[in-house]
């Protein structure tokens, strides 16, 4: 399994608009082959949101990047440049250990 983390610094005052963009896209990725889950993390401190997608493997993630649902999720009206306080950073990690609560 891999986890793709996109760290996105959101400028002060644009938090609600940023979150709304994700609410509108909710579910577009859910039926992609190899998709496991999507988590959007809001910062408790600071300005960096983290969008995490979990995939069966790297190939499944790359296939989604070429898919119609990717284009639908990332198309449309582009956010204003002022929404971001810096560049995003995309990270891909391989899961080497996973622990979960029972049940």
């Amino acid at each position: 399994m891999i986890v793709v983390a996109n760290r996105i610094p959101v400028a002060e005052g644009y938090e609600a608009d940023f979150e709304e963009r994700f609410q509108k896209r909710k579910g577009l990725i859910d039926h992609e082959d190899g998709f496991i889950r999507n988590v959007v993390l809001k910062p408790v401190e600071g300005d960096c949101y983290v969008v995490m997608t979990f995939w069966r493997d790297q190939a499944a993630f790359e296939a989604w990047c070429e898919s119609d649902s990717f284009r639908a999720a990332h198309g449309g009206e582009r956010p204003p440049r002022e929404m971001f306080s810096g560049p995003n950073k995309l990270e891909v990690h391989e899961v080497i250990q996973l622990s979960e609560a029972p049940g």
Side-chain angles (χ1 to χ4, degrees):
M1 175 172 38
I2 66 163
V3 178
V4 180
N6 192 1
R7 298 177 184 281
I8 307 169
V10 176
E12 187 175 345
Y14 284 93
E15 298 89 352
D17 293 336
F18 180 79
E19 293 171 22
E20 181 181 345
R21 292 179 68 80
F22 275 90
Q23 285 299 319
K24 288 180 180 177
R25 299 179 348 185
K26 187 175 181 179
L28 291 176
I29 195 174
D30 292 1
H31 302 288
E32 291 299 310
D33 184 45
F35 172 76
I36 298 170
R37 80 176 45 92
N38 181 42
V39 179
V40 181
L41 305 175
K42 180 179 181 173
V44 174
E45 293 182 15
D47 66 351
C48 198
Y49 283 73
V50 181
V51 180
M52 299 172 66
T53 53
F54 294 70
W55 297 90
R56 176 186 60 231
D57 53 33
Q58 181 83 24
F61 169 67
E62 291 172 1
W64 174 67
C65 289
E66 300 297 323
S67 72
D68 289 338
S69 66
F70 179 90
R71 283 185 283 283
H74 294 86
E77 185 178 328
R78 297 196 82 24
R81 185 166 280 178
E82 306 82 44
M83 181 178 281
F84 307 104
S85 57
N88 70 309
K89 181 178 181 187
L90 190 69
E91 301 173 342
V92 179
H93 302 272
E94 181 179 358
V95 176
I96 61 169
Q97 182 176 340
L98 177 65
S99 181
E100 296 179 329

